[in-house]
Amino acid sequence: MLGKKLVTAQKRGETRALCLGLGMVACSVMMYFFIGITIVPFYTKSVWTTETVCKVLKTNIKDKVFCPNSEGSEDEKIFPYPCLQVWVNLTASGQEVMLYQTEDTLERNPKCSYVPDKLENSKEVKARIETIASNFKKYQTFPCYYDPGGTQKNVILSRLYPSKGLLFAFLWPTLMFTGGCLIIVLVKISQYVSVLSAWQ
């Protein structure tokens, strides 16, 4: 009687462990799919792939411009902010080009190097842009990214999804997939050993 209870408990434990392993594998596959349709396209579409050194030539803050915002109604889709323009010397080619914060900055407003998030306090936005401009004047030389193919004549300060970020995004689903497969293999080995012991 006790032996039957132990066997039943063992089978339940193996079933739960097997379900856990399969669940981990299924979740990791879903994470791979999600990363593949969200992050990977942005990474592959970016043409600013080569890192070089940029030197600030001039910074300029123009009068307020309007920036589109994806949140809210149609009337709330634009808000004014000072337009910061940063011109740099591209070390790789020696050209004078305009610097943008990321790829998204160029799409949102190609006239400005920095596009702030929508904030209610306009003074805070102005202070942040002035701080960024002073940092560029303070740190004249810094790494940046340019398009080696020459499609884009401008440069960006940082990529939205760099290679390290993409690898980090794939790290967690890979660990989960490996853990799930390991649990399934261990359960199968345990079942095989149990059958082999019972047969002997």
Side-chain angles (χ1 to χ4, degrees):
M1 188 71 176
L2 183 60
K4 290 183 179 180
K5 289 183 178 180
L6 290 174
V7 171
T8 304
Q10 183 181 3
K11 288 183 178 180
R12 287 178 180 175
E14 290 175 350
T15 302
R16 290 174 182 174
L18 191 61
C19 290
L20 175 63
L22 292 173
M24 291 174 66
V25 171
C27 287
S28 63
V29 171
M30 291 176 62
M31 291 175 68
Y32 278 128
F33 177 76
F34 179 76
I35 294 172
I37 63 173
T38 56
I39 298 179
V40 173
F42 286 105
Y43 176 80
T44 54
K45 287 179 182 178
S46 178
V47 295
W48 296 271
T49 56
T50 305
E51 185 176 349
T52 185
V53 177
C54 288
K55 184 177 181 181
V56 177
L57 296 176
K58 58 183 177 180
T59 59
N60 185 26
I61 298 179
K62 289 189 173 182
D63 294 334
K64 289 186 177 181
V65 296
F66 290 93
C67 174
N69 189 7
S70 58
E71 297 180 359
S73 62
E74 291 294 330
D75 296 334
E76 297 176 347
K77 283 189 176 181
I78 53 176
F79 65 98
Y81 64 95
C83 181
L84 171 65
Q85 291 182 337
V86 181
W87 294 89
V88 297
N89 182 19
L90 187 60
T91 306
S93 60
Q95 294 177 332
E96 180 181 337
V97 294
M98 189 169 177
L99 174 74
Y100 295 94
Q101 184 183 12
T102 61
E103 301 95 329
D104 184 57
T105 307
L106 179 62
E107 292 182 2
R108 293 178 65 184
N109 191 346
K111 296 180 180 179
C112 303
S113 298
Y114 172 75
V115 177
D117 296 328
K118 185 177 180 181
L119 299 174
E120 299 295 333
N121 192 348
S122 58
K123 292 182 178 179
E124 185 178 348
V125 175
K126 183 179 179 181
R128 180 181 297 180
I129 292 176
E130 289 177 350
T131 302
I132 294 172
S134 63
N135 287 335
F136 277 118
K137 293 178 181 179
K138 183 178 180 181
Y139 303 102
Q140 292 285 316
T141 306
F142 50 86
C144 59
Y145 294 90
Y146 75 100
D147 176 18
T151 306
Q152 293 288 344
K153 301 300 181 182
N154 41 57
V155 295
I156 60 173
L157 181 62
S158 60
R159 300 182 66 184
L160 282 173
Y161 301 104
S163 301
K164 291 182 180 179
L166 189 66
L167 291 175
F168 185 77
F170 278 107
L171 176 63
W172 295 111
T174 301
L175 292 176
M176 184 178 292
F177 182 82
T178 305
C181 291
L182 185 61
I183 290 174
I184 294 173
V185 170
L186 291 176
V187 170
K188 291 300 181 180
I189 291 175
S190 176
Q191 291 176 346
Y192 175 76
V193 171
S194 298
V195 172
L196 186 62
S197 298
W199 181 77
Q200 288 181 349

